[in-house]
Amino acid sequence: MNSASTATLLSQWRAEEGEQPGGWDFSQLADRMSTDPPPWDLDAEYRWALRGATRVLDMGTGGGEHLLEFTDGLPTDVTATEGWEPNVLIAQKALEPHGIRVVAFGASDDDPDADAMPFPDERFDLVLNRHESYGPHEVARVLASGGVFLTQQVGSGELAELHDLTEEAPADLDVSHERFVREIESAGLTVEAGASSEGFYRFTDIAALVAYLRCVPWEVPDDFSVDRYADALLTLHERAAGGPILLRRRRFWLRARKP
């Protein structure tokens, strides 16, 4: 690739850089990326769990986008947490008109059980969690007897090809269905269902990937920019040879109940 072509590409990719947008809405990338869906239907699992629920907690609600998809099935007592400060205000504006209280809270990734959730024991009969860090013993504490915990998580190896090129993998290398089952069972819950799957993200080009990474900055080094990691991005571009950029996508889910 000649220097003029490289300069043009880098200029196009830089145009996608900017501040992280609020919420977890990726609709602006709908025509630029696609993903292999997992073999389970998380929304159907949510609806099943909501049928008998009367006191619901949604952990890591983002801007409330996903929770709002279920307003027709929510009980009157619903609380949501969000740990990223800019999203708290977005979630409050989106959810509070529906009677949903939003609480600023996020568990640390290093020792999530060390951060006590600001709720009394057995406060909820359903705890929903989509891609949010949680402390297994804290979930068990706030869950009422007979209550359900339902979570989907991003597994180890997510975007592995990119991490290999940037030479910085996420710190926790064992984010897996097996580990999370062990931990939630050690907290006293009984796992009823769950699975893991692997697929791919497909980005139309590196520009689309850079736009996506702007939404999920924890997936790249803190100093990530097009210019600092131009070699890694150019390598991905060349490997694709004009086709889509394929990067690993890993998910797992589990549903557990408190005896």
Side-chain angles (χ1 to χ4, degrees), residues 15-259:
E16 302 290 347
E17 292 184 304
E19 296 297 320
Q20 181 183 6
W24 306 131
D25 183 5
F26 298 97
S27 60
Q28 74 276 13
L29 286 167
D31 60 346
R32 304 175 68 192
M33 67 172 283
S34 62
T35 58
D36 293 334
W40 57 84
D41 186 339
L42 185 65
D43 286 359
E45 291 292 335
Y46 265 50
R47 291 197 177 279
W48 178 88
L50 283 166
R51 270 188 224 136
T54 59
R55 295 167 288 140
V56 175
L57 172 64
D58 182 40
M59 297 183 67
T61 197
E65 303 90 349
H66 192 236
L67 188 59
L68 285 175
E69 296 178 17
F70 305 94
T71 51
D72 59 332
L74 295 176
T76 56
D77 185 352
V78 181
T79 303
T81 62
E82 174 52 35
W84 191 54
E85 186 177 351
N87 271 353
V88 174
L89 293 176
I90 295 171
Q92 287 172 340
K93 290 179 181 179
L95 298 178
E96 288 183 350
H98 297 273
I100 300 171
R101 178 188 174 213
V102 177
V103 177
F105 172 82
S108 70
D109 292 329
D110 296 333
D111 187 7
D113 264 324
D115 299 313
M117 287 194 281
F119 308 114
D121 296 355
E122 301 192 350
R123 169 67 178 84
F124 305 101
D125 56 17
L126 174 61
V127 175
L128 302 171
N129 179 305
R130 183 169 171 262
H131 306 173
E132 177 76 353
S133 179
Y134 67 88
H137 290 84
E138 271 299 287
V139 168
R141 180 184 67 79
V142 303
L143 197 58
S145 178
V148 169
F149 173 55
L150 176 60
T151 184
Q152 178 175 280
Q153 295 287 327
V154 176
S156 299
E158 178 88 347
L159 304 180
E161 300 83 357
L162 177 64
H163 293 152
D164 288 345
L165 288 171
T166 58
E167 298 181 348
E168 183 167 325
D172 193 336
L173 299 180
D174 184 19
V175 182
S176 65
H177 180 254
E178 294 78 11
R179 173 190 161 191
F180 276 51
V181 166
R182 290 196 305 269
E183 291 181 345
I184 206 69
E185 288 181 339
S186 73
L189 275 61
T190 301
V191 175
E192 298 181 331
S196 59
S197 76
E198 180 175 309
F200 288 94
Y201 292 93
R202 291 172 175 81
F203 300 93
T204 55
D205 51 24
I206 294 295
L209 172 60
V210 172
Y212 175 74
L213 293 174
R214 187 167 54 96
C215 300
V216 290
W218 54 86
E219 290 289 359
V220 286
D222 292 340
D223 66 347
F224 180 83
S225 70
V226 167
D227 288 331
R228 288 192 188 95
Y229 289 85
D231 289 344
L233 296 174
L234 286 166
T235 298
L236 283 175
H237 172 76
E238 290 168 3
R239 284 180 182 174
I245 311 298
L246 268 62
L247 299 177
R248 204 76 48 86
R249 185 177 193 263
R250 286 181 171 166
R251 295 288 183 274
F252 63 90
W253 79 285
L254 64 85
R255 185 179 74 237
R257 189 179 298 271
K258 185 173 180 179

